[in-house]
Amino acid sequence: QVQLVESGGGLVQAGGSLRLSCTASGRSLRWLGLGWFRQAPGKDREFVAAISRNGFTTGYADSVKGRFAISRDNTVYLQMSSLRPEDTAVYYCAATTNEYGRFPFEYADWGQGTQVTVSS
């Protein structure tokens, strides 16, 4: 089991940028597939981005493609640019023993989430 902690959320104006980070304790991230998900009030948790264990494969939701970028070293990052009010949500990082995953059920370990609010 790995404990994940997100940071970097906050309030930003539309068009602005934020970088989220997720660190781990209890186990190295090195052998885990990693993902970012988000949940807005009244909505289901949705996939945002994922990166494979070796870092060579990345995937994005259509709604963020071209604006967000996921990367990893000993930490997993989500660089968010051209933010829109509809990006407002709690953002969660998650870890899977699979190589890569796009669905919440594939992930066993989750962080507590960090709030991102984009004002218009």
Side-chain angles (χ1 to χ4, degrees):
Q1 189 175 6
V2 59
Q3 290 77 47
L4 302 170
V5 179
E6 303 95 338
S7 62
L11 173 64
V12 63
Q13 288 189 331
S17 300
L18 282 175
R19 188 175 81 155
L20 304 184
S21 301
C22 177
T23 57
S25 62
R27 182 178 177 181
S28 171
L29 293 177
R30 181 177 180 183
W31 305 111
L32 300 172
L34 300 167
W36 286 96
F37 294 79
R38 67 187 182 187
Q39 188 165 19
K43 295 188 176 182
D44 292 335
R45 190 167 298 189
E46 66 174 1
F47 170 75
V48 176
I51 188 166
S52 62
R53 287 188 296 208
N54 60 17
F56 292 160
T57 301
T58 58
Y60 298 91
D62 288 344
S63 59
V64 307
K65 202 171 293 184
R67 301 187 297 122
F68 290 12
I70 188 171
S71 61
R72 66 183 296 168
D73 45 37
N74 292 323
T75 299
V76 58
Y77 305 96
L78 186 69
Q79 178 66 48
M80 306 186 294
S81 303
S82 302
L83 283 161
R84 304 167 180 168
E86 54 264 40
D87 295 318
T88 296
V90 177
Y91 283 71
Y92 299 90
C93 73
T96 176
T97 53
N98 295 342
E99 175 69 31
Y100 176 85
R102 296 176 68 98
F103 300 97
F105 71 81
E106 299 181 85
Y107 289 79
D109 296 301
W110 293 82
Q112 300 274 6
T114 185
Q115 176 70 47
V116 171
T117 303
V118 184
S119 63
S120 57

